[in-house]
Structure formats: structure tokens, C-alpha cells
Amino acid sequence: MASQNDDALKRLRCQRIGCNATFTEDDNPEGSCTFHDSGPIFHDGMKEWSCCKRRSHDFSLFLEIPGCKTGKHTTEKPVLTKPVATSKTPAPAPAPSTTLGSSTPSKELCSRCRQGFFCSDHGSQAKEQTNYAPAVPAGSNVAAEVPPVPVKKKIGINEPQICKNKGCGKTFKEKDNHETACSYHPGPAVFHDRMRGWKCCDIHVKEFDEFMGIPPCTKGWHDANLSS
């Protein structure tokens, strides 16, 4: 029992961006860590890792993009290479672009963004689609087909799951889940004028690694958000 407790105490959390794994000094071979070695770029609602050029409109999906470099785990916070903005040469005759009207509410006032859902008005892909029943011709006796309701996937109480709450990402078992097991940000994340922060706790910083280190402000249940 004592040796098991000693091993648990020796486990360290890797500080590389994109890793978040735990390790021990005795079990840290070369190539065990997968990470991003360059800072992200935020522009016009798009989030991009400058080291591998992979991008996403959705911040949660952006954080799930796997690292592009490998190495050893470390407890030292890495100094990220700040991306240099590259100027693109405009085309000789650029096509006119459609811009959002002044009547479009800002991201801070948008009801969908405030609830943690990203919307198309602010450069994000729609996450849900409404399913409509097919139209039935007049006088037809054929009943409209109703799409089935998604059934939540059944998970055993001892099966490991990964929490999808923003700022958590821990592995948990349902038998150990309770109303204060998870520390997370209800969100949403806010990126504006080179500042990064969380609207839920009103903390904003300039550097991305500082943003990732903002402690969660809310307690609740772990949520793996699983469906079939």
C-alpha cells in the first residue's frame, strides 16, 4: 500500500501545450510526449496552431487537435515561439467580400455564444442541425417519418471516460463522479484585441500559456458528453 501511494505522489503533470499527461521521472522515454511547440494564432474567429497550420473555428475542437512534435514530458513551462504574422499579397482584382452588417450583435452579447455555443455570425461552424420530417403530399395516407431520438450510450460505472468540460479534460469513472468532482469553466472563452480569457470568471490575459493556466471557476459533475 505504501509503495502504491509513493508512486501516486511521484506522478507529475506535463506542462507542454497539447499534452496534459502525467508521468514519472523513471518512465519518461523520448517520444512519449506529443505537443505543440509554437503558439496559436487567433484571427477573424479562426484558431490555428502556427507550428502545424491546423485550425478550427470551435475552441473546444481546436484544443483537441493533437500535437505535431514529440519528445519527453517536462514539468517546466515551455517558452512558446510566438508566431509572426505574414502579410499576404492581395490579388490584382479581389472579389468583393460580404461583411456582417452593423446590426449583428457582438460575440459578448450573442445569446448562443454566452451559453457556450459557437455560431456562424462569429466565424464558428454550427454544431447542431435541425431535422425536419419529410413533407407528405396532400391527400396521402402515408405518415411522415419521424427521425429517431438519439439514445445516450450506456457506460459502465467502472469504465474510464474523459471529461469534456472546458478546462478539465481529466479521466474519471462514473462510480467516482459527484456534484463537486469536476473543476471547469462554464465558458465561453473570449478572444478580443489580443486578449484571451473566460467570460464566466472575467479573467483575461495576453499570453496563451497564461490563458491555459487560468484556474477553473466552477465545480460540478464530470461530463463525457457521450451519445450513440
Side-chain angles (χ1 to χ4, degrees), residues 58-80:
D58 188 297
F59 183 67
S60 298
L61 296 178
F62 170 72
L63 291 181
E64 293 180 3
I65 294 175
C68 57
K69 306 292 182 181
T70 58
K72 288 187 176 182
H73 295 296
T74 178
T75 57
E76 296 182 4
K77 287 191 175 182
V79 179
L80 295 178

Side-chain angles (χ1 to χ4, degrees), residues 104-183:
T104 302
S106 65
K107 188 170 183 178
E108 289 76 13
L109 298 178
C110 176
S111 60
R112 286 186 60 80
C113 292
R114 291 176 62 185
Q115 296 175 29
F117 298 99
F118 290 89
C119 63
S120 59
D121 289 340
H122 300 101
S124 297
Q125 297 176 348
K127 301 192 70 173
E128 297 179 355
Q129 292 183 351
T130 305
N131 294 324
Y132 296 95
V136 179
S140 174
N141 294 326
V142 180
E145 294 182 1
V146 179
V149 178
V151 180
K152 190 172 183 179
K153 185 178 180 180
K154 293 183 179 180
I155 297 294
I157 61 174
N158 291 313
E159 184 173 346
Q161 305 176 70
I162 298 177
C163 182
K164 296 297 184 180
N165 287 336
K166 300 179 181 71
C168 180
K170 293 182 179 179
T171 301
F172 71 98
K173 296 180 180 179
E174 196 59 45
K175 70 173 184 177
D176 301 322
N177 200 6
H178 54 82
E179 60 184 4
T180 59
C182 179
S183 297

Side-chain angles (χ1 to χ4, degrees), residues 211-222:
F211 165 73
M212 295 297 293
I214 296 176
C217 60
T218 302
K219 293 280 189 179
W221 295 78
H222 287 302

